[in-house]
Amino acid sequence: MHIIQGRVRDYTWGARDVIPEFFGLPAADTPVAELWLGAHAGAPARCGVGPHAVALAAEDVRVDDAGPAASAGGAGEAGADVACPADVVSPADVVSPAGPAADLRDYIARDPEGVLGRDVMRRHQGELPFLLKLIAPAQPLSLQVHPSMEQAARGFVRESERGIALDAPNRSYKDALHKPELVYAFTRFEALVGFRSPRRIIGVLEGLGTELTDRLADLIRCEPNAGGVREAFSCLLSASRPSADAVAEVVEACRTRPAEDSPSPRADAIVGRLASFFPGDPGVVASLLLNPVTLNPGEAMFTPAGTVHAYLSGFGLEIMANSDNVLRAGLTSKYVDVPELLDVMETVAAPPIRIAPERISPVQSTYYAPVDDFELSIVNLRDATRRVKLRGAGPRILLCVAGAAEIRTASGQYCLMNTGQAAFVRADDGILQARGAGRLVLAEVP
């Protein structure tokens, strides 16, 4: 078991303050969009950081004058730090060192069977199969879709054979893996996920009275099924995509449509919001075809391969397959591979997949996703005088999001985790026991 530090991703859509302030740091002068906790080749977590390190390294967040860091704070409703009893041992004495490994990927490669366990090592080719992230969008992300395992494998080989560099801007497949994902909300979290039913889309488009929305509605009326929805969506992405003026006309129609006459005032408002960030982008109009969804703190949503989606705002935690494959559809200045996107995306109407947790013990609730790569548990500790067993095995990542907890492994190691600290647990560390007063996130392999 080792304390680890994540790696910052400074995508332009990220908030400058949300993630740093969670760790007791001032707002950054550059975006802090995500904090990756995993062993992805692009940004593996750091090992050997010492027992008192929090998961976000202060030197990774550029600020004008950071000053002394405050104690890490809680996320959303998670609460404040609560100290464990005085007899909890210091982690400096009991957490084993990571040795010369500089990062988690290197650490796993040195002993994949011991770290991952034989079953996970064989099923996932010696890789940690999940990636845990904190995510804080200050503005909408691109409309995007992730491939299935088969699509990713074909796409990766195809782009590699064409000689497209892994870091090239026109590279869609950075690896040969699928990327299903689950997001857990710390605060109110808004997104667009999956296509509405054809009848519902027509209802939203009707009454706007623009040439573009009338054309989209007619395409779906002629084929009121997934095929018609695909035609309408393709119309917004094709070479003859609508002009910026046509998009602006739809935006104005949504802005001026009276709420009492609109079948979806929320959709109309989202159009205006997206247009403020991406004026003239046809993806703004495409949002009318999609389901808006809001997660309240503590709620979770699963996004399978092929589902068009975009996160709009909020602060949450994502767990996903260990991939960085993204096919973009709009709301972006980055590369959009239209033929590949249309081949990968699923246009059958489907509501967002909200996942309710299953309470598997008095302290632990688990969100089960229908994949073999990951599952996520929330652990609420309320009794600092009694140790409780945490369900789960194999390689695990723990993140303390409120309070404090003492973690004990079957092999006899201890770790005292305070808010904002993360730990990686080896498969051969065995069953975990915990005590304290706080909240933990536990990521593992099914």
Side-chain angles (χ1 to χ4, degrees):
M1 179 167 56
H2 311 290
I3 297 295
I4 59 173
Q5 281 184 329
R7 305 296 290 273
V8 167
R9 312 305 280 172
D10 59 353
Y11 308 132
T12 56
W13 48 260
R16 298 169 184 263
D17 55 345
V18 175
I19 292 177
E21 288 178 3
F22 173 76
F23 291 97
L25 297 171
D29 56 13
T30 56
V32 184
E34 296 178 343
L35 181 70
W36 287 20
L37 292 162
H40 190 278
R46 297 185 181 97
C47 295
V49 294
H52 304 293
V54 295
L56 175 64
E59 58 268 25
D60 288 346
V61 182
R62 297 194 295 275
V63 295
D64 292 332
D65 183 11
S71 298
E77 83 293 0
D81 283 8
V82 182
C84 278
D87 65 328
V88 173
V89 295
S90 166
D93 300 325
V94 292
V95 175
S96 63
D103 62 56
L104 188 55
R105 187 173 182 82
D106 177 52
Y107 177 74
I108 293 170
R110 286 164 44 200
D111 181 18
E113 183 169 339
V115 175
L116 300 177
R118 182 173 297 178
D119 176 61
V120 172
M121 181 188 70
R122 289 179 175 175
R123 283 194 290 136
H124 298 284
Q125 294 75 52
E127 299 278 351
L128 182 68
F130 65 82
L131 175 60
L132 189 67
K133 298 180 180 180
L134 292 178
I135 180 170
Q139 67 181 59
L141 280 67
S142 61
L143 280 174
Q144 57 188 258
V145 65
H146 305 308
S148 68
M149 189 70 83
E150 294 77 14
Q151 291 163 337
R154 291 196 303 267
F156 183 77
V157 170
R158 182 172 60 251
E159 292 188 337
S160 297
E161 289 176 345
R162 291 174 181 171
I164 304 174
L166 286 176
D167 59 352
N170 63 330
R171 177 101 190 196
S172 296
Y173 293 97
K174 306 298 179 67
D175 51 64
L177 299 173
H178 65 168
K179 193 187 174 187
E181 58 191 34
L182 182 147
V183 61
Y184 172 89
F186 285 142
T187 67
R188 178 184 171 93
F189 198 93
E190 295 182 289
L192 295 166
V193 182
F195 286 96
R196 302 174 186 262
S197 69
R199 183 181 297 275
R200 183 64 171 156
I201 294 173
I202 292 171
V204 171
L205 296 175
E206 280 181 336
L208 288 172
T210 74
E211 181 181 351
L212 176 55
T213 52
D214 288 347
R215 177 154 49 101
L216 296 175
D218 286 343
L219 287 170
I220 299 174
R221 285 194 194 96
C222 290
E223 194 177 355
N225 52 34
V229 174
R230 181 177 295 274
E231 284 297 317
F233 195 77
S234 302
C235 172
L236 296 170
L237 302 177
S238 64
S240 58
R241 56 193 290 170
S243 66
D245 287 343
V247 172
E249 185 181 7
V250 176
V251 174
E252 180 62 16
C254 288
R255 186 187 68 80
T256 57
R257 179 159 60 178
E260 60 270 20
D261 296 335
S262 174
S264 182
R266 184 180 182 189
D268 292 345
I270 289 173
V271 164
R273 182 174 167 193
L274 295 176
S276 69
F277 291 106
F278 306 100
D281 191 314
V284 171
V285 180
S287 70
L288 293 169
L289 283 61
L290 302 172
N291 296 299
V293 61
T294 297
L295 299 178
N296 292 313
E299 293 182 334
M301 177 178 66
F302 175 72
T303 303
T307 301
V308 177
H309 63 286
Y311 296 149
L312 303 181
S313 65
F315 177 37
L317 182 142
E318 273 191 294
I319 186 169
M320 61 189 62
N322 189 35
S323 171
D324 197 24
N325 286 328
V326 178
L327 291 158
R328 295 175 179 85
L331 307 180
T332 181
S333 59
K334 294 183 178 180
Y335 175 63
V336 176
D337 185 342
V338 175
E340 186 66 16
L341 170 75
L342 296 177
D343 185 55
V344 167
M345 75 176 188
E346 177 59 69
T347 54
V348 173
I353 304 174
R354 296 173 180 267
I355 297 183
E358 180 177 338
R359 187 164 184 174
I360 61 174
S361 82
V363 301
Q364 187 171 348
S365 296
T366 301
Y367 296 85
Y368 292 108
V371 292
D372 293 331
D373 307 84
F374 59 80
E375 59 190 33
L376 184 75
S377 291
I378 305 298
V379 178
N380 289 296
L381 300 173
R382 300 181 180 88
D383 185 351
T385 65
R386 184 173 66 89
R387 294 188 178 94
V388 294
K389 184 174 75 172
L390 303 184
R391 301 281 188 92
R396 286 148 284 176
I397 291 178
L398 284 165
L399 174 65
C400 184
V401 297
E406 176 209 88
I407 310 298
R408 177 198 289 260
T409 72
S411 59
Q413 296 181 60
Y414 291 83
C415 176
L416 179 60
M417 297 183 68
N418 287 298
T419 307
Q421 288 194 288
F424 178 77
V425 181
R426 298 168 55 104
D428 56 13
D429 281 333
I431 298 297
L432 300 178
Q433 290 188 318
R435 62 170 175 164
R439 175 170 297 176
L440 302 171
V441 170
L442 172 61
E444 61 178 313
V445 186

